[in-house]
Amino acid sequence: FVNSGAAHQVTLSDESFKELVGHDSTGKHIVIMSVVVHPDYQSKGISKMLMNAFVDAMRGLGKETIYLICQKELISMYAQYGFIDLGESSSSHGGLLWHEMMLSL
């Protein structure tokens, strides 16, 4: 599954957004909080199908951008869907270093 929310303005380091505080379904900007595939089904192309379907659905809904934060090792995976790396995030969620990424629709 893809866990996401919509907003009119996006601040990726805003911890409250992860709780969907400020979510507004009419917002033109989507924030992906997680992309999850059960371990038994990983490495079978399911995340690719999920992401392609999700991006297509957001385009169909008239959304403008999709944002996410990810660990450095996942930058290339999200880049294959057209996301660009915006650099290191100010988020320290979980005590980890994150990168912000964005896809223009």
Side-chain angles (χ1 to χ4, degrees):
F1 65 88
V2 177
N3 180 23
S4 67
H8 294 285
Q9 294 182 336
V10 174
T11 304
L12 290 174
S13 61
D14 183 356
E15 294 296 317
S16 65
F17 193 82
K18 293 174 186 72
E19 304 291 327
L20 288 180
V21 173
H23 166 73
D24 182 341
S25 62
T26 65
K28 294 292 184 183
H29 309 288
I30 300 299
V31 177
I32 293 176
M33 273 73 87
S34 56
V35 177
V36 181
V37 176
H38 188 281
D40 291 349
Y41 299 96
Q42 292 176 359
S43 301
K44 298 180 187 226
I46 293 173
S47 64
K48 183 175 184 174
M49 289 187 293
L50 275 172
M51 286 300 295
N52 287 333
F54 184 81
V55 169
D56 287 347
M58 295 306 104
R59 278 191 183 107
L61 291 172
K63 303 303 181 184
E64 295 176 2
T65 54
I66 301 175
Y67 292 89
L68 58 84
I69 62 171
C70 68
Q71 298 292 291
K72 187 175 184 175
E73 63 270 12
L74 295 176
I75 292 171
S76 61
M77 182 191 78
Y78 288 112
Q80 73 180 331
Y81 306 111
F83 283 84
I84 58 168
D85 183 8
L86 301 175
E88 290 183 7
S89 176
S90 61
S91 174
S92 60
H93 181 72
L96 300 171
L97 179 64
W98 298 91
H99 277 256
E100 296 184 359
M101 300 193 76
M102 188 260 312
L103 173 65
S104 292
L105 301 174

